[in-house]
Protein backbone atom coordinates (compact mmCIF):
# COMPACT_ATOMS: atom_id res chain seq x y z
CA UNK A 1 0.00 0.00 0.00
CA UNK A 2 1.09 3.56 -0.59
CA UNK A 3 2.92 5.51 2.05
CA UNK A 4 0.91 8.56 2.99
CA UNK A 5 2.61 11.45 4.75
CA UNK A 6 0.89 13.72 7.25
CA UNK A 7 1.24 16.41 4.54
CA UNK A 8 -0.80 14.32 2.10
CA UNK A 9 -3.63 14.12 4.63
CA UNK A 10 -3.42 17.82 5.64
CA UNK A 11 -3.22 20.12 2.62
CA UNK A 12 -3.70 23.86 2.38
CA UNK A 13 -6.35 24.56 -0.21
CA UNK A 14 -9.60 26.20 -1.17
CA UNK A 15 -13.18 25.25 -0.26
CA UNK A 16 -15.73 23.88 -0.51
CA UNK A 17 -14.71 20.29 -1.31
CA UNK A 18 -11.47 18.33 -1.47
CA UNK A 19 -12.87 15.70 -3.83
CA UNK A 20 -15.10 17.98 -5.91
CA UNK A 21 -13.06 21.19 -5.90
CA UNK A 22 -9.41 20.46 -5.12
CA UNK A 23 -9.26 17.08 -6.90
CA UNK A 24 -10.65 18.40 -10.22
CA UNK A 25 -8.44 21.51 -9.88
CA UNK A 26 -5.38 19.27 -9.46
CA UNK A 27 -6.51 17.00 -12.31
CA UNK A 28 -6.85 20.01 -14.64
CA UNK A 29 -3.34 21.11 -13.67
CA UNK A 30 -2.01 17.59 -14.30
CA UNK A 31 -3.72 17.52 -17.72
CA UNK A 32 -2.24 20.81 -18.92
CA UNK A 33 1.25 19.47 -18.22
CA UNK A 34 0.61 16.74 -20.78
CA UNK A 35 -0.76 18.70 -23.73
CA UNK A 36 0.76 20.91 -26.39
CA UNK A 37 -0.37 24.34 -25.20
CA UNK A 38 0.65 26.09 -28.44
CA UNK A 39 -1.49 23.75 -30.57
CA UNK A 40 -4.53 23.80 -28.26
CA UNK A 41 -7.61 25.55 -29.65
CA UNK A 42 -9.94 24.64 -26.78
CA UNK A 43 -10.59 22.10 -24.03
CA UNK A 44 -13.76 20.22 -23.15
CA UNK A 45 -14.19 18.73 -19.68
CA UNK A 46 -16.67 15.94 -18.99
CA UNK A 47 -17.75 15.38 -15.41
CA UNK A 48 -19.24 12.05 -14.34
CA UNK A 49 -21.05 10.51 -11.38
CA UNK A 50 -20.96 12.43 -8.13
CA UNK A 51 -18.80 15.16 -9.68
CA UNK A 52 -21.61 15.78 -12.12
CA UNK A 53 -24.51 15.44 -9.66
CA UNK A 54 -23.16 17.81 -7.01
CA UNK A 55 -20.52 19.60 -9.08
CA UNK A 56 -22.38 22.91 -9.37
CA UNK A 57 -22.88 23.23 -5.60
CA UNK A 58 -19.34 22.07 -4.90
CA UNK A 59 -17.80 24.52 -7.41
CA UNK A 60 -16.33 21.77 -9.61
CA UNK A 61 -16.78 23.87 -12.76
CA UNK A 62 -14.95 26.80 -11.14
CA UNK A 63 -12.16 24.48 -9.98
CA UNK A 64 -11.72 23.13 -13.52
CA UNK A 65 -11.38 26.66 -14.92
CA UNK A 66 -8.92 27.69 -12.21
CA UNK A 67 -6.91 24.49 -12.70
CA UNK A 68 -6.74 24.90 -16.48
CA UNK A 69 -5.55 28.48 -15.86
CA UNK A 70 -2.88 26.98 -13.56
CA UNK A 71 -3.76 28.92 -10.40
CA UNK A 72 -2.13 27.45 -7.31
CA UNK A 73 -4.61 26.27 -4.63
CA UNK A 74 -2.20 27.28 -1.90
CA UNK A 75 -1.48 30.80 -3.08
CA UNK A 76 -4.51 31.98 -5.07
CA UNK A 77 -6.11 35.12 -3.64
CA UNK A 78 -9.47 33.59 -2.69
CA UNK A 79 -11.08 37.05 -2.65
CA UNK A 80 -10.44 37.28 -6.40
CA UNK A 81 -11.83 33.88 -7.43
CA UNK A 82 -15.18 35.38 -8.51
CA UNK A 83 -13.36 37.98 -10.59
CA UNK A 84 -11.20 35.36 -12.34
CA UNK A 85 -14.27 33.26 -13.14
CA UNK A 86 -16.30 36.26 -14.32
CA UNK A 87 -13.45 37.24 -16.67
CA UNK A 88 -13.53 33.78 -18.28
CA UNK A 89 -17.32 33.74 -18.52
CA UNK A 90 -17.72 37.24 -19.96
CA UNK A 91 -14.79 37.11 -22.37
CA UNK A 92 -15.37 33.52 -23.56
CA UNK A 93 -11.62 33.07 -23.24
CA UNK A 94 -9.44 31.19 -20.75
CA UNK A 95 -5.69 31.77 -20.35
CA UNK A 96 -4.53 28.18 -20.57
CA UNK A 97 -1.66 27.38 -18.18
CA UNK A 98 -1.44 31.16 -17.75
CA UNK A 99 0.28 31.15 -21.17
CA UNK A 100 -2.18 31.30 -24.04
CA UNK A 101 -5.78 32.42 -24.45
CA UNK A 102 -8.13 29.75 -25.83
CA UNK A 103 -11.83 29.91 -26.63
CA UNK A 104 -13.76 28.67 -23.63
CA UNK A 105 -17.51 28.88 -23.08
CA UNK A 106 -17.98 27.53 -19.57
CA UNK A 107 -21.51 26.14 -20.00
CA UNK A 108 -20.56 24.43 -23.26
CA UNK A 109 -17.04 23.30 -22.49
CA UNK A 110 -17.76 21.82 -19.07
CA UNK A 111 -20.30 19.04 -19.45
CA UNK A 112 -22.22 17.51 -16.55
CA UNK A 113 -22.94 13.95 -17.69
CA UNK A 114 -25.74 11.88 -16.23
CA UNK A 115 -23.60 8.75 -16.15
CA UNK A 116 -20.90 7.27 -13.98
CA UNK A 117 -17.57 5.81 -15.08
CA UNK A 118 -17.06 2.26 -13.78
CA UNK A 119 -13.69 2.82 -12.07
CA UNK A 120 -14.78 5.41 -9.47
CA UNK A 121 -17.84 7.66 -8.84
CA UNK A 122 -15.79 10.85 -9.32
CA UNK A 123 -14.67 10.72 -12.96
CA UNK A 124 -13.38 13.66 -15.02
CA UNK A 125 -12.34 13.51 -18.67
CA UNK A 126 -10.41 16.29 -20.40
CA UNK A 127 -10.17 16.59 -24.17
CA UNK A 128 -7.82 19.09 -25.77
CA UNK A 129 -8.72 19.96 -29.37
CA UNK A 130 -5.66 20.91 -31.39
CA UNK A 131 -5.57 23.37 -34.28
CA UNK A 132 -4.33 20.61 -36.63
CA UNK A 133 -7.41 18.47 -35.95
CA UNK A 134 -5.77 16.12 -33.44
CA UNK A 135 -7.07 15.61 -29.93
CA UNK A 136 -5.45 14.67 -26.63
CA UNK A 137 -7.69 13.01 -24.06
CA UNK A 138 -7.09 11.90 -20.47
CA UNK A 139 -9.42 10.65 -17.71
CA UNK A 140 -8.75 11.26 -14.02
CA UNK A 141 -10.53 10.24 -10.84
CA UNK A 142 -10.84 12.32 -7.71
CA UNK A 143 -10.62 9.66 -5.04
CA UNK A 144 -11.17 11.75 -1.91
CA UNK A 145 -9.23 14.22 0.22
CA UNK A 146 -7.85 15.97 -2.88
CA UNK A 147 -6.05 12.83 -4.08
CA UNK A 148 -6.34 12.05 -7.81
CA UNK A 149 -5.38 9.07 -9.93
CA UNK A 150 -5.80 7.63 -13.40
CA UNK A 151 -7.15 4.20 -14.18
CA UNK A 152 -4.30 1.73 -14.17
CA UNK A 153 -2.18 3.82 -11.81
CA UNK A 154 -0.34 1.57 -9.46
CA UNK A 155 -1.45 3.12 -6.19
CA UNK A 156 0.80 0.75 -4.34
CA UNK A 157 3.94 2.42 -5.74
CA UNK A 158 5.29 3.82 -2.57
CA UNK A 159 8.13 4.75 -0.36
CA UNK A 160 8.30 1.60 1.72
CA UNK A 161 11.98 1.45 0.96
CA UNK A 162 12.43 5.00 2.13
CA UNK A 163 10.51 5.10 5.39
CA UNK A 164 11.79 2.92 8.21
CA UNK A 165 8.40 1.83 9.59
CA UNK A 166 5.71 1.15 6.93
CA UNK A 167 2.27 1.18 8.55
CA UNK A 168 -0.91 -0.10 6.93
CA UNK A 169 -2.89 -1.08 10.01
CA UNK A 170 -3.06 -0.02 13.64
CA UNK A 171 -1.69 -3.46 14.54
CA UNK A 172 1.44 -2.72 12.52
CA UNK A 173 1.85 0.60 14.31
CA UNK A 174 1.66 -1.23 17.64
CA UNK A 175 4.20 -3.78 16.44
CA UNK A 176 6.67 -1.04 15.49
CA UNK A 177 6.25 0.54 18.89
CA UNK A 178 7.03 -2.78 20.55
CA UNK A 179 9.98 -3.43 18.27
CA UNK A 180 11.54 0.01 18.65
CA UNK A 181 10.64 0.49 22.30
CA UNK A 182 9.43 3.98 21.55
CA UNK A 183 6.10 5.81 21.30
CA UNK A 184 3.51 6.12 18.51
CA UNK A 185 4.46 9.77 18.01
CA UNK A 186 8.15 8.87 17.69
CA UNK A 187 7.54 6.09 15.14
CA UNK A 188 5.42 8.42 12.99
CA UNK A 189 7.91 11.28 13.37
CA UNK A 190 10.80 9.02 12.26
CA UNK A 191 8.85 8.07 9.15
CA UNK A 192 8.25 11.75 8.35
CA UNK A 193 11.92 12.55 8.95
CA UNK A 194 12.87 9.96 6.35
CA UNK A 195 11.06 12.17 3.83
CA UNK A 196 12.18 15.62 5.01
CA UNK A 197 14.45 17.44 7.44
CA UNK A 198 13.51 18.31 11.00
CA UNK A 199 13.39 22.00 10.01
CA UNK A 200 11.06 21.31 7.12
CA UNK A 201 8.80 19.22 9.32
CA UNK A 202 8.60 22.01 11.91
CA UNK A 203 8.03 24.67 9.25
CA UNK A 204 5.30 22.77 7.45
CA UNK A 205 3.46 21.91 10.66
CA UNK A 206 3.61 25.59 11.64
CA UNK A 207 2.24 26.53 8.21
CA UNK A 208 -0.69 24.12 8.63
CA UNK A 209 -1.45 25.41 12.11
CA UNK A 210 -1.25 29.03 10.95
CA UNK A 211 -3.72 28.32 8.14
CA UNK A 212 -6.05 26.45 10.48
CA UNK A 213 -6.03 29.36 12.92
CA UNK A 214 -6.53 31.87 10.10
CA UNK A 215 -9.60 30.02 8.89
CA UNK A 216 -11.00 29.96 12.45
CA UNK A 217 -10.26 33.64 13.03
CA UNK A 218 -11.55 34.76 9.64
CA UNK A 219 -14.70 32.68 10.00
CA UNK A 220 -15.33 34.13 13.46
CA UNK A 221 -15.29 37.65 12.05
CA UNK A 222 -17.17 37.49 8.76
CA UNK A 223 -20.91 38.11 9.06
CA UNK A 224 -23.34 37.50 6.24
CA UNK A 225 -25.05 34.93 4.04
CA UNK A 226 -23.15 32.10 2.42
CA UNK A 227 -23.16 31.87 -1.39
CA UNK A 228 -25.19 29.30 -3.31
CA UNK A 229 -28.79 30.33 -2.81
CA UNK A 230 -29.72 28.44 0.37
CA UNK A 231 -29.59 31.69 2.35
CA UNK A 232 -27.57 30.06 5.14
CA UNK A 233 -26.41 32.68 7.63
CA UNK A 234 -22.89 32.52 9.03
CA UNK A 235 -23.21 31.69 12.74
CA UNK A 236 -19.59 31.62 13.91
CA UNK A 237 -19.31 35.44 14.15
CA UNK A 238 -22.57 35.55 16.10
CA UNK A 239 -21.31 32.93 18.57
CA UNK A 240 -17.93 34.64 18.79
CA UNK A 241 -19.59 37.93 19.65
CA UNK A 242 -21.67 36.20 22.35
CA UNK A 243 -18.70 34.44 23.89
CA UNK A 244 -15.78 36.82 23.68
CA UNK A 245 -15.47 38.87 26.84
CA UNK A 246 -12.89 41.41 25.73
CA UNK A 247 -13.51 43.04 22.39
CA UNK A 248 -10.43 45.25 22.30
CA UNK A 249 -8.36 42.82 20.23
CA UNK A 250 -6.93 43.89 16.89
CA UNK A 251 -5.69 40.68 15.33
CA UNK A 252 -5.73 36.90 15.62
CA UNK A 253 -3.00 36.80 18.26
CA UNK A 254 -4.78 39.23 20.54
CA UNK A 255 -8.13 37.52 19.97
CA UNK A 256 -6.65 34.16 20.97
CA UNK A 257 -5.04 35.71 24.04
CA UNK A 258 -8.42 37.17 24.98
CA UNK A 259 -9.93 33.66 24.93
CA UNK A 260 -7.04 31.95 26.71
CA UNK A 261 -6.90 34.52 29.51
CA UNK A 262 -10.58 34.27 30.42
CA UNK A 263 -12.37 31.72 32.58
CA UNK A 264 -15.16 29.98 30.69
CA UNK A 265 -17.81 27.61 32.00
CA UNK A 266 -18.23 24.07 30.61
CA UNK A 267 -21.17 25.20 28.54
CA UNK A 268 -19.24 28.16 27.15
CA UNK A 269 -16.26 25.97 26.24
CA UNK A 270 -18.64 23.63 24.44
CA UNK A 271 -19.93 26.63 22.50
CA UNK A 272 -16.38 27.70 21.62
CA UNK A 273 -15.70 24.22 20.18
CA UNK A 274 -18.78 24.61 17.97
CA UNK A 275 -17.84 28.18 17.12
CA UNK A 276 -14.34 27.15 15.92
CA UNK A 277 -15.77 24.33 13.79
CA UNK A 278 -18.55 26.50 12.32
CA UNK A 279 -16.02 29.21 11.50
CA UNK A 280 -13.84 26.92 9.40
CA UNK A 281 -16.70 25.35 7.52
CA UNK A 282 -18.43 28.64 6.85
CA UNK A 283 -15.15 29.79 5.35
CA UNK A 284 -14.99 26.55 3.40
CA UNK A 285 -18.51 27.06 2.05
CA UNK A 286 -17.52 30.56 0.92
CA UNK A 287 -14.64 29.27 -1.27
CA UNK A 288 -12.06 30.58 1.20
CA UNK A 289 -8.77 29.02 2.26
CA UNK A 290 -8.92 26.02 4.63
CA UNK A 291 -6.75 23.03 5.45
CA UNK A 292 -8.10 19.76 4.07
CA UNK A 293 -8.37 17.52 7.13
CA UNK A 294 -8.77 14.88 5.68
CA UNK A 295 -11.39 16.49 3.38
CA UNK A 296 -12.77 20.00 3.01
CA UNK A 297 -16.33 19.15 4.03
CA UNK A 298 -14.85 17.93 7.33
CA UNK A 299 -12.15 20.60 7.54
CA UNK A 300 -13.53 22.12 10.77
CA UNK A 301 -13.25 19.15 13.13
CA UNK A 302 -9.48 18.99 13.62
CA UNK A 303 -8.81 22.76 13.84
CA UNK A 304 -11.67 23.03 16.32
CA UNK A 305 -10.40 20.26 18.60
CA UNK A 306 -6.81 21.49 18.32
CA UNK A 307 -7.87 25.05 19.11
CA UNK A 308 -9.92 23.75 22.05
CA UNK A 309 -6.79 22.03 23.37
CA UNK A 310 -4.68 25.11 22.66
CA UNK A 311 -7.02 27.50 24.46
CA UNK A 312 -8.48 25.45 27.29
CA UNK A 313 -6.00 22.69 28.22
CA UNK A 314 -2.52 23.01 29.61
CA UNK A 315 -0.59 22.42 26.45
CA UNK A 316 3.09 22.10 25.72
CA UNK A 317 5.04 23.57 22.81
CA UNK A 318 5.24 20.27 20.90
CA UNK A 319 1.51 19.52 21.18
CA UNK A 320 0.50 20.97 17.80
CA UNK A 321 3.05 18.85 15.96
CA UNK A 322 2.33 15.71 17.97
CA UNK A 323 -1.43 16.12 17.55
CA UNK A 324 -1.15 16.51 13.79
CA UNK A 325 1.31 13.64 13.38
CA UNK A 326 -1.00 11.24 15.19
CA UNK A 327 -4.14 12.57 13.51
CA UNK A 328 -2.48 12.33 10.09
CA UNK A 329 -1.48 8.70 10.68
CA UNK A 330 -5.01 7.76 11.71
CA UNK A 331 -6.35 9.46 8.58
CA UNK A 332 -3.96 7.46 6.43
CA UNK A 333 -5.06 4.19 8.12
CA UNK A 334 -8.64 4.95 7.07
CA UNK A 335 -7.55 5.87 3.57
CA UNK A 336 -5.60 2.61 3.23
CA UNK A 337 -8.14 0.33 4.91
CA UNK A 338 -11.41 1.96 3.82
CA UNK A 339 -11.94 5.35 2.17
CA UNK A 340 -11.94 9.08 2.90
CA UNK A 341 -14.21 9.77 -0.07
CA UNK A 342 -17.88 10.55 0.58
CA UNK A 343 -18.65 9.42 -2.97
CA UNK A 344 -17.41 5.98 -1.90
CA UNK A 345 -18.50 5.83 1.73
CA UNK A 346 -20.87 8.64 2.67
CA UNK A 347 -20.21 11.13 5.44
CA UNK A 348 -18.75 8.49 7.79
CA UNK A 349 -15.73 8.72 5.47
CA UNK A 350 -15.44 12.49 6.01
CA UNK A 351 -16.78 13.63 9.38
CA UNK A 352 -16.33 10.15 10.87
CA UNK A 353 -12.69 9.96 9.85
CA UNK A 354 -11.90 13.54 10.89
CA UNK A 355 -13.50 12.87 14.28
CA UNK A 356 -11.42 9.69 14.73
CA UNK A 357 -8.28 11.61 13.75
CA UNK A 358 -9.03 14.43 16.19
CA UNK A 359 -9.86 12.00 19.01
CA UNK A 360 -6.55 10.22 18.53
CA UNK A 361 -4.56 13.48 18.34
CA UNK A 362 -6.20 14.85 21.47
CA UNK A 363 -5.57 11.63 23.37
CA UNK A 364 -1.90 11.64 22.38
CA UNK A 365 -1.27 15.20 23.58
CA UNK A 366 -3.06 14.44 26.83
CA UNK A 367 -0.61 11.67 27.61
CA UNK A 368 -2.55 8.68 26.26
CA UNK A 369 -0.66 5.47 25.54
CA UNK A 370 -0.79 4.04 22.00
CA UNK A 371 -3.64 1.67 22.86
CA UNK A 372 -5.67 4.59 24.27
CA UNK A 373 -4.93 6.71 21.17
CA UNK A 374 -6.21 3.91 18.94
CA UNK A 375 -9.16 3.32 21.24
CA UNK A 376 -10.16 7.00 21.01
CA UNK A 377 -10.10 6.81 17.20
CA UNK A 378 -12.12 3.61 17.30
CA UNK A 379 -14.77 5.09 19.62
CA UNK A 380 -15.12 8.24 17.53
CA UNK A 381 -15.61 6.28 14.31
CA UNK A 382 -17.87 3.69 15.90
CA UNK A 383 -20.44 6.42 16.51
CA UNK A 384 -20.30 7.76 12.97
CA UNK A 385 -20.77 4.40 11.23
CA UNK A 386 -23.44 4.57 8.55
CA UNK A 387 -23.52 8.36 8.41
CA UNK A 388 -24.80 9.32 4.97
CA UNK A 389 -23.81 12.16 2.68
CA UNK A 390 -26.82 14.16 1.49
CA UNK A 391 -25.78 17.79 0.96
CA UNK A 392 -28.80 19.99 0.24
CA UNK A 393 -28.61 21.53 -3.27
CA UNK A 394 -25.18 19.93 -3.62
CA UNK A 395 -23.75 22.71 -1.46
CA UNK A 396 -21.33 21.94 1.36
CA UNK A 397 -23.57 23.74 3.86
CA UNK A 398 -26.53 21.70 5.13
CA UNK A 399 -25.87 19.38 6.95
CA UNK A 400 -22.12 19.74 6.49
CA UNK A 401 -21.32 22.86 8.50
CA UNK A 402 -23.09 21.81 11.71
CA UNK A 403 -21.88 18.26 11.27
CA UNK A 404 -18.34 19.47 11.93
CA UNK A 405 -19.40 20.66 15.38
CA UNK A 406 -20.76 17.19 16.11
CA UNK A 407 -17.57 15.54 14.88
CA UNK A 408 -15.49 17.80 17.13
CA UNK A 409 -17.58 17.21 20.26
CA UNK A 410 -17.64 13.44 19.68
CA UNK A 411 -13.85 13.50 19.27
CA UNK A 412 -13.42 15.18 22.64
CA UNK A 413 -15.81 12.73 24.31
CA UNK A 414 -14.13 9.74 22.66
CA UNK A 415 -10.74 10.97 23.86
CA UNK A 416 -11.99 11.45 27.42
CA UNK A 417 -13.49 7.96 27.50
CA UNK A 418 -10.29 6.41 26.11
CA UNK A 419 -8.11 8.29 28.58
CA UNK A 420 -10.13 6.99 31.49
CA UNK A 421 -10.44 3.41 30.20
CA UNK A 422 -8.30 0.33 30.28
CA UNK A 423 -7.84 -0.35 26.54
CA UNK A 424 -6.91 -3.97 27.31
CA UNK A 425 -10.61 -4.47 28.01
CA UNK A 426 -11.75 -2.97 24.69
CA UNK A 427 -13.86 -5.35 22.63
CA UNK A 428 -13.41 -3.63 19.25
CA UNK A 429 -10.06 -2.63 17.73
CA UNK A 430 -9.45 0.29 15.39
CA UNK A 431 -8.65 -2.10 12.54
CA UNK A 432 -12.01 -3.81 13.07
CA UNK A 433 -13.92 -0.54 13.00
CA UNK A 434 -12.06 0.51 9.82
CA UNK A 435 -13.12 -2.78 8.22
CA UNK A 436 -16.69 -2.24 9.42
CA UNK A 437 -16.73 1.25 7.97
CA UNK A 438 -15.55 -0.07 4.60
CA UNK A 439 -18.18 -2.82 4.54
CA UNK A 440 -20.85 -0.29 5.53
CA UNK A 441 -19.61 1.96 2.70
CA UNK A 442 -19.96 -0.85 0.19
CA UNK A 443 -23.47 -1.66 1.39
CA UNK A 444 -24.61 1.98 1.40
CA UNK A 445 -27.06 3.00 -1.31
CA UNK A 446 -25.49 5.28 -3.94
CA UNK A 447 -28.09 7.97 -3.24
CA UNK A 448 -26.37 8.59 0.11
CA UNK A 449 -22.89 8.96 -1.39
CA UNK A 450 -22.51 12.63 -2.32
CA UNK A 451 -25.12 12.54 -5.07
CA UNK A 452 -27.79 14.70 -3.38
CA UNK A 453 -30.30 12.08 -4.58
CA UNK A 454 -31.40 11.01 -1.09
CA UNK A 455 -31.77 12.07 2.54
CA UNK A 456 -32.09 15.74 3.43
CA UNK A 457 -31.24 16.82 -0.11
CA UNK A 458 -34.23 14.91 -1.49
CA UNK A 459 -36.67 15.98 1.22
CA UNK A 460 -35.76 19.66 0.87
CA UNK A 461 -36.05 19.45 -2.92
CA UNK A 462 -39.53 17.90 -2.58
CA UNK A 463 -40.58 20.54 -0.03
CA UNK A 464 -39.50 23.34 -2.38
CA UNK A 465 -41.31 21.71 -5.31
CA UNK A 466 -44.52 21.54 -3.26
CA UNK A 467 -44.41 25.24 -2.35
S1 LIG B 1 -22.72 15.53 4.12
FE1 LIG B 1 -20.68 15.09 4.99
S2 LIG B 1 -19.57 14.01 3.37
FE2 LIG B 1 -21.35 14.97 2.42
S3 LIG B 1 -20.58 16.91 1.60
FE3 LIG B 1 -21.40 17.28 3.67
S4 LIG B 1 -19.65 17.06 5.06
FE4 LIG B 1 -19.04 16.16 3.10
Amino acid sequence: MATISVFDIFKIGVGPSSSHTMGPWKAAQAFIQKIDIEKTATIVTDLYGSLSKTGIGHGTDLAVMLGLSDFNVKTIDTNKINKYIDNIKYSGQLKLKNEKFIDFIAHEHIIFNNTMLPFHPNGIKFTAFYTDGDIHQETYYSIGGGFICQEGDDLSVDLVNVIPYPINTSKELENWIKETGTSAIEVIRRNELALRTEEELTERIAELWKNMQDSIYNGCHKFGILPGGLEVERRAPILNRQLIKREDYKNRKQWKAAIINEKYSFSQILKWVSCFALAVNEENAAFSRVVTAPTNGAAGVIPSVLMYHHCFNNQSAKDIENFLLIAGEIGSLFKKGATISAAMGGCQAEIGVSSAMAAAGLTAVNGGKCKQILMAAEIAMEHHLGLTCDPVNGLVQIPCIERNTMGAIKAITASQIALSSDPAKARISLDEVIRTMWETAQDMNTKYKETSDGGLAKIVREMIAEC
Side-chain angles (χ1 to χ4, degrees):
M1 286 197 199
T3 295
I4 300 170
S5 157
V6 63
F7 301 107
D8 295 320
I9 294 290
F10 297 116
K11 296 182 284 286
I12 297 161
V14 174
S17 168
S18 48
S19 55
H20 288 53
T21 316
M22 282 172 56
W25 189 320
K26 214 164 138 186
Q29 283 182 300
F31 179 67
I32 57 175
Q33 303 307 320
K34 297 189 179 172
I35 58 173
D36 186 333
I37 300 289
E38 261 320 297
K39 273 170 55 180
T40 303
T42 194
I43 289 180
V44 169
T45 304
D46 283 275
L47 302 171
Y48 296 94
S50 172
L51 284 186
S52 172
K53 282 184 180 281
T54 59
I56 295 280
H58 283 53
T60 307
D61 48 344
L62 314 190
V64 165
M65 289 186 256
L66 295 169
L68 293 175
S69 309
D70 211 17
F71 281 105
N72 184 322
V73 282
K74 257 175 101 170
T75 54
I76 189 171
D77 181 346
T78 54
N79 296 315
K80 292 188 178 159
I81 285 180
N82 283 343
K83 193 180 125 204
Y84 297 141
I85 297 298
D86 286 348
N87 282 347
I88 296 170
K89 285 186 174 167
Y90 293 134
S91 68
Q93 296 237 299
L94 179 148
K95 198 171 184 189
L96 187 61
K97 210 180 171 190
N98 198 25
E99 284 176 19
K100 181 197 161 189
F101 281 102
I102 58 166
D103 290 338
F104 195 90
I105 313 294
H107 62 272
E108 287 177 10
H109 290 177
I110 301 178
I111 302 166
F112 293 83
N113 294 283
N114 208 9
T115 48
M116 195 181 286
L117 300 180
F119 181 70
H120 189 279
N122 290 335
I124 180 164
K125 184 172 79 190
F126 297 100
T127 310
F129 291 87
Y130 289 155
T131 45
D132 60 9
D134 274 356
I135 62 163
H136 184 109
Q137 197 168 72
E138 306 243 350
T139 302
Y140 294 83
Y141 298 91
S142 179
I143 55 175
F147 290 85
I148 57 166
C149 72
Q150 289 190 277
E151 199 166 346
D153 277 357
D154 184 358
L155 298 177
S156 68
V157 172
D158 67 14
L159 301 162
V160 281
N161 296 325
V162 179
I163 61 159
Y165 311 115
I167 300 162
N168 292 315
T169 62
S170 66
K171 188 84 202 122
E172 285 177 7
L173 173 62
E174 288 192 273
N175 289 344
W176 285 125
I177 292 166
K178 236 183 257 163
E179 203 168 312
T180 56
T182 181
S183 65
I185 290 171
E186 193 48 36
V187 166
I188 298 162
R189 189 193 315 281
R190 286 182 195 173
N191 276 348
E192 286 297 331
L193 290 178
L195 306 172
R196 56 189 53 81
T197 63
E198 181 94 49
E199 293 71 39
E200 197 195 333
L201 177 67
T202 308
E203 259 171 44
R204 292 188 65 180
I205 291 281
E207 189 189 21
L208 288 176
W209 179 224
K210 180 196 171 297
N211 276 274
M212 285 181 179
Q213 291 182 93
D214 282 347
S215 59
I216 293 175
Y217 180 75
N218 293 337
C220 279
H221 294 87
K222 284 189 202 162
F223 288 86
I225 303 294
L226 292 169
L230 272 180
E231 298 299 306
V232 172
E233 187 180 16
R234 285 177 180 256
R235 280 174 293 174
I238 298 169
L239 260 181
N240 177 66
R241 194 168 267 181
Q242 285 171 11
L243 289 165
I244 196 87
K245 294 185 181 166
R246 290 188 53 174
E247 289 191 49
D248 55 348
Y249 59 87
K250 293 192 171 56
N251 52 39
R252 169 162 64 72
K253 230 174 155 180
Q254 291 180 8
W255 170 73
K256 206 167 70 181
I259 300 172
I260 291 171
N261 295 329
E262 277 299 338
K263 280 259 164 290
Y264 285 104
S265 66
F266 170 73
S267 146
Q268 287 169 320
I269 291 174
L270 213 55
K271 278 191 199 168
W272 270 122
V273 174
S274 293
C275 178
F276 299 149
L278 290 174
V280 175
N281 282 81
E282 285 165 2
E283 280 292 271
N284 182 59
F287 290 81
S288 299
R289 177 149 291 113
V290 295
V291 177
T292 304
T295 66
N296 280 20
V301 174
I302 285 165
S304 165
V305 175
L306 196 44
M307 192 69 158
Y308 152 79
H309 179 68
H310 189 65
C311 291
F312 305 116
N313 288 346
N314 284 330
Q315 53 120 20
S316 80
K318 269 286 188 195
D319 280 5
I320 305 296
E321 184 174 310
N322 292 341
F323 184 114
L324 291 177
L325 285 176
I326 290 287
E329 189 63 48
I330 297 296
S332 82
L333 290 180
F334 276 100
K335 178 156 172 49
K336 290 169 189 168
T339 179
I340 55 169
S341 162
M344 293 290 280
C347 200
Q348 57 173 356
E350 290 207 14
I351 296 289
V353 173
S354 64
S355 187
M357 291 165 67
L362 187 62
T363 307
V365 295
N366 280 308
K369 299 268 181 300
C370 181
K371 279 193 183 300
Q372 288 172 310
I373 293 169
L374 301 175
M375 186 186 195
E378 180 277 310
I379 294 171
M381 172 49 80
E382 192 177 304
H383 303 288
H384 283 95
L385 286 173
L387 191 64
T388 60
C389 170
D390 52 358
V392 174
N393 280 11
L395 294 162
V396 193
Q397 298 182 10
I398 302 173
C400 320
I401 295 171
E402 280 176 6
R403 201 162 272 181
N404 279 264
T405 68
M406 302 299 150
I409 301 292
K410 278 194 205 177
I412 295 169
T413 306
S415 172
Q416 285 170 349
I417 294 174
L419 282 167
S420 32
S421 297
D422 175 1
K425 293 182 182 160
R427 288 286 166 271
I428 311 286
S429 71
L430 178 58
D431 288 335
E432 284 164 350
V433 93
I434 292 174
R435 229 178 78 209
T436 308
M437 184 205 134
W438 183 224
E439 286 195 13
T440 308
Q442 289 167 308
D443 289 342
M444 196 181 274
N445 192 303
T446 311
K447 65 186 178 187
Y448 300 119
K449 293 182 183 176
E450 213 165 3
T451 55
S452 290
D453 282 344
L456 282 174
K458 176 174 172 278
I459 298 298
V460 172
R461 203 167 39 244
E462 286 170 359
M463 258 166 45
I464 292 169
E466 278 165 20
C467 289

